[in-house]
Structure formats: C-alpha cells, structure tokens
Amino acid sequence: MASSPTMLVVMCSSLAMAVILSSSSPAMAQLDVGFYSKTCPKVEEIVREEMIRILAVAPTLAGPLLRLHFHDCFVRRIKARLDAACPGTVSCADVLALMARDAVALSGGPRWAVPLGRRDGRVSAANDTTTQLPPPTANITQLARMFAAKGLDMKDLVVLSGGHTLGTAHCSAFTDRLYNFTGANNAGDVDPALDRSYLARLRSRCASLAGDNTTLAEMDPGSFLTFDAGYYRLVARRRGLFHSDSSLLDDAFTAGYVRRQATGMYAAEFFRDFAESMVKMGGVGVLTGGEGEIRKKCYVIN
C-alpha cells in the first residue's frame, strides 16, 4: 500500500498521532524514554520483533509506516502482543512512535531513544489531517507557517523532509506538475521547477492527468527501500517528486541544507539531525498523565 502523499513525512510520525489519536494542544509534553521500564519492560523488543516480521514480508511498508499511514492490521498485530504481555498498559500513540522509529532503523537509517508515556485521545479526528498536514502542493511559505504553528522550525522542515527517501506515491499526487500545471490546456504546460529528463520519466510512468490511484512512483528512485541522504541529491537536481519537495530550494536556509547533504559527505549529520527532529516532533501536542486513555483497539475510542 502506498504512502499517502498528503501526509508529508515531516509532520506525520507524531503530528498525525496527535490528530488521529488525541485532541490536545500543541504544547510540548513531558515524556520519558524509560516510561515502561517497570510496567512493560519488553515493549521496545516486542515492537521491534514485529516490525522485523512485517518488513521481511513487505519491505515497501517502511515509508508508509514512517509517515504513520494508519495500517490498522499491523498496529493490531503489535498491540495484541503488547496487551498479552502488559494488558492495558501501552498506548497506541506510543506503539506508532516506536513503529516509525523502527521503520527507519530497519531500513538502514538512524535509531534513536523514543520518549514514551503518550495517552490516546478520546476523540478521533482523522478528517482533520486535510487541514493539519501540509499537502504535496504546499509552497515554502505554507510549509513554514504550518511547521511554526506546531513549534517546529525551518531546520525541522528540511530535515524531516528527508524521510521522503523511503516509499512511493500514487501518480495522482503529482500529475498536476506534469500536465496542465497552470490550467493553460496545452502539452507544454508543466511545472518549470522540474528537471526536463525527470519530467519525461514521470510522464512515461503516469500517462495522463486523470486521477490514477493505482500506479506508483518511487520517491527516491533506485533506493526507495533504503533510508539515506539520496533524497537531497534528487531535490538539488530539481527531481523532487512533489512541489513541496522542490519548494525547499526557494528558501536560503533549506536550500543550503539540501545542497550540503547533496554532496554525499554529511550523511552522519543528516542521521543525527533526523533523530533529533523526530524526538522534537514526537513531543508535539500529545496527551500524558491522566489525560485521555489507553485504547483497547487503536482505531476506535474505548
């Protein structure tokens, strides 16, 4: 199953958690890496074991799981094991945070300590993702505004965008860049920000503007199953798949980070930055303490 392009990776791992599983304010929460050390000490081991099984069968799910594409079947698989070991203890929000981390680590990326202790919300508002999460058509001004509203800065924006190194997207998410970009209804009406040879390749893959929700394109062609800095080399060459990717070149700071990573000399720096930004994002707008609940079924309130 392809990742939803409207859930841009930079916001999705924990911000979507806040939208789908909670209803709190965007204040940073107090979480603790050792939150389950006494109540469910094997929580990370269990999640990792199940993620290894999942990705062994379907490695293409690493991208969607990083972007918190809500795969109920896999969350239930992991949640069932945790409830057997520690009944009613681990929240779905924490399970999803650990799954996102392990999706990255098991794909060759960094592994970081995940602060835990989130509670699940008593209100599900999945439809709010259309207004809370940046669309693939967002420009740099829109992206900056949406990130700032969640306490995230321009570095978080460009660093977490690097998560597009994993996964695929449906043609319908970007064909507006390939056909009738301005509405002029002529064959040459394409997004001028796209590299011409890349444009031709995408057109051969996605043959028309009609909504194609079946055909997939790799976000990081050639290494879409591996977490690396390849995404930045593509963006620097004007080969970012989405308009939101290309827009990173429209700001001095984000463009500078893109070009630095595009050299291929600073992958360790990117891995460290990505881990730090994921932890930062993971504290945005979550419920803790006596707030919310521990859901028995992740897709419905108790």
Side-chain angles (χ1 to χ4, degrees):
M1 190 173 185
S3 61
S4 170
T6 58
M7 291 190 176
L8 190 65
V9 63
V10 290
M11 302 285 285
C12 286
S13 173
S14 291
L15 177 55
M17 226 180 290
V19 173
I20 296 172
L21 296 177
S22 73
S23 57
S24 64
S25 68
M28 296 297 285
Q30 296 300 314
L31 303 174
D32 182 1
V33 171
F35 184 82
Y36 297 109
S37 60
K38 294 182 179 179
T39 57
C40 194
K42 293 187 176 181
V43 57
E44 296 200 35
E45 177 184 335
I46 291 172
V47 172
R48 181 175 171 79
E49 287 176 354
E50 290 302 311
M51 284 294 293
I52 289 173
R53 292 189 179 97
I54 290 169
L55 295 180
V57 174
T60 57
L61 286 178
L65 290 173
L66 169 59
R67 280 174 284 280
L68 204 66
H69 197 247
F70 205 70
H71 290 281
D72 286 344
C73 56
F74 297 116
V75 175
R76 289 199 300 269
R77 179 177 176 174
I78 295 175
K79 178 69 168 165
R81 276 201 63 190
L82 288 171
D83 280 345
C86 325
T89 301
V90 183
S91 68
C92 296
D94 277 345
V95 171
L96 291 165
L98 291 169
M99 289 174 70
R101 187 272 308 276
D102 287 346
V104 170
L106 292 171
S107 300
R111 181 179 176 84
W112 59 92
V114 178
L116 300 169
R118 298 167 184 80
R119 303 272 291 180
D120 300 322
R122 292 194 174 97
V123 175
S124 288
N127 290 337
D128 287 352
T129 56
T130 57
T131 57
Q132 293 276 346
L133 302 177
T137 56
N139 60 38
I140 195 66
T141 301
Q142 293 168 322
L143 291 171
R145 183 175 64 248
M146 298 186 84
F147 275 73
K150 300 299 178 181
L152 302 172
D153 57 28
M154 297 302 283
K155 183 176 181 181
D156 297 316
L157 192 165
V158 67
V159 168
L160 293 173
S161 292
H164 276 174
T165 186
L166 289 177
T168 58
H170 290 114
C171 289
S172 57
F174 56 85
T175 46
D176 63 307
R177 306 185 73 195
L178 314 181
Y179 306 95
N180 203 30
F181 183 63
T182 66
N185 292 312
N186 65 69
D189 189 17
V190 300
D191 186 346
L194 269 176
D195 171 78
R196 284 298 179 264
S197 61
Y198 185 51
L199 168 68
R201 186 186 307 173
L202 290 176
R203 276 188 158 187
S204 69
R205 182 74 176 168
C206 305
S208 72
L209 183 60
D212 183 346
N213 291 313
T214 302
T215 307
L216 300 172
E218 299 173 3
M219 292 185 184
D220 185 356
S223 65
F224 76 107
L225 297 179
T226 303
F227 191 96
D228 55 30
Y231 164 81
Y232 295 107
R233 289 191 289 276
L234 292 174
V235 174
R237 296 172 62 193
R238 299 191 299 123
R239 294 187 175 193
L241 189 60
F242 305 129
H243 182 70
S244 55
D245 295 325
S246 296
S247 74
L248 295 177
L249 296 178
D250 296 332
D251 172 83
F253 179 83
T254 56
Y257 192 93
V258 166
R259 294 189 177 106
R260 177 178 173 85
Q261 290 300 327
T263 66
M265 299 171 60
Y266 304 99
E269 176 186 83
F270 165 53
F271 277 27
R272 182 179 64 252
D273 290 344
F274 190 84
E276 290 176 355
S277 289
M278 285 293 285
V279 170
K280 180 178 177 181
M281 185 173 61
V284 174
V286 298
L287 301 174
T288 57
E291 300 172 309
E293 64 185 16
I294 303 298
R295 291 192 182 184
K296 297 176 181 178
K297 297 180 179 179
C298 294
Y299 55 89
V300 65
I301 60 176
N302 293 341

